[in-house]
Amino acid sequence: MFFTLPTLLLTAGLAFAAPHQQEARSQDAEFYDSWSRKGHNFRGRTPSRAAEQCSCNTASIKLPQAPKPLPEVSEGLSLYHIAVGRGTQNYTCDLSNATAVPAAAGAVATLVNATCLTANSATLAWKLAGWAYQDKSAKVPTSFPENDFLRISGHHYFTDLTTAYFNLDTVGQGNDTWQSNYSQGGFKKVNATDAPADAIEGSVPWLKLTSKNDTGCAFQEVYRINTVGGAAPKTCAGQQAEFQIEYAAEYWFYAKPEASGYY
């Protein structure tokens, strides 16, 4: 399917979620797990409408690399899903220490399906994170157009300071009855590289993450690329004890061949 630039901008503006304000990491995990599992059919995978309608060839999609490349995708894994994440990177400051620097405290983001859009137009897909970051007032509607590939595919949050959790088990809200069961799991960072020089100032690094459970999650590796924003200030001067910095990024998921591709 061909996407014109005005149509893509309009769709992106409707589909991307405004950042969730984190109160506590444990509360985020409990909320998102509860929301994602609500009304879910655990007897088998039920593809979302986006997956049913999306017909695209992902074989030719190549993972972008920064000037200092991240490690290659592990042998035996193939592309499973591509999502654009929009949310916040979260930090804490020790206000009793005048020389303290911000400490990372996880992240929260809504993930939006961009697999087929990337397959059909990699040039436009490359810009999605930037558009998502700029659209600070975007809200998620309760229903989506039938042919909309930019559909929510999951949520990203942290269950502890070192476990990045990706939940791709998602159910629609309101009159929208679509649902998907495409696995979820905790991941750890194994490598990082600076965002390219042409990224906006203050963009968080690109990452490679691997699963903490080799058998419990369909996808085994996740790459965070094309980051926009999210980096902490250099010092805690003028900051609160807990604060958030808005960001957007692409997340590329890779799985073993026996896992059905989530398009």
Side-chain angles (χ1 to χ4, degrees):
M1 176 178 292
F2 176 74
F3 290 83
T4 64
L5 183 58
T7 300
L8 183 59
L9 281 169
L10 175 61
T11 307
L14 290 174
F16 284 111
H20 170 72
Q21 296 300 315
Q22 184 184 45
E23 295 180 0
R25 286 183 299 277
S26 60
Q27 292 177 348
D28 288 328
E30 181 179 355
F31 168 78
Y32 281 130
D33 278 336
S34 173
W35 185 87
S36 295
R37 294 173 185 273
K38 184 178 180 182
H40 213 94
N41 174 13
F42 285 98
R43 296 181 180 177
R45 295 186 175 185
T46 304
S48 68
R49 291 183 198 158
E52 291 174 343
Q53 296 193 13
C54 180
S55 177
C56 58
N57 181 7
T58 61
S60 62
I61 302 178
K62 302 298 182 184
L63 177 70
Q65 285 286 9
K68 182 181 178 182
L70 291 167
E72 295 289 337
V73 177
S74 296
E75 185 176 355
L77 301 184
S78 58
L79 183 63
Y80 185 73
H81 183 58
I82 298 173
V84 175
R86 176 72 166 87
T88 61
Q89 295 286 319
N90 305 316
Y91 300 94
T92 61
C93 274
D94 180 2
L95 301 185
S96 66
N97 182 355
T99 61
V101 297
V108 176
T110 296
L111 304 177
V112 178
N113 188 343
T115 310
C116 283
L117 179 58
T118 303
N120 290 327
S121 180
T123 302
L124 290 180
W126 183 273
K127 302 178 184 295
L128 276 176
W131 290 334
Y133 176 79
Q134 293 172 22
D135 193 357
K136 299 181 185 298
S137 63
K139 302 292 183 182
V140 179
T142 57
S143 62
F144 297 82
E146 290 290 334
N147 62 350
D148 185 5
F149 293 149
L150 294 175
R151 188 183 294 275
I152 291 177
S153 57
H155 296 280
H156 168 46
Y157 47 91
F158 276 65
T159 55
D160 58 47
L161 289 177
T162 62
T163 305
Y165 203 87
F166 295 91
N167 187 340
L168 299 186
D169 289 344
T170 309
V171 61
Q173 301 180 75
N175 295 325
D176 202 6
T177 58
W178 63 272
Q179 59 184 7
S180 61
N181 182 7
Y182 290 101
S183 198
Q184 56 183 290
F187 285 70
K188 61 183 178 182
K189 180 179 72 175
V190 295
N191 202 279
T193 187
D194 290 340
D198 59 355
I200 72 165
E201 185 177 359
S203 293
V204 288
W206 294 20
L207 302 177
K208 178 178 181 177
L209 305 99
T210 59
S211 176
K212 286 190 168 184
N213 185 344
D214 290 341
T215 60
C217 184
F219 47 95
Q220 294 294 301
E221 294 183 353
V222 180
Y223 287 78
R224 184 182 77 183
I225 65 169
N226 289 344
T227 55
V228 186
K234 293 182 179 180
T235 72
C236 284
Q239 299 297 330
Q240 298 180 345
E242 297 182 0
F243 65 97
Q244 299 81 36
I245 303 293
E246 295 187 16
Y247 89 107
E250 289 181 25
Y251 290 92
W252 291 48
F253 299 80
Y254 288 85
K256 296 176 181 178
E258 56 266 27
S260 299
Y262 177 14
Y263 301 150

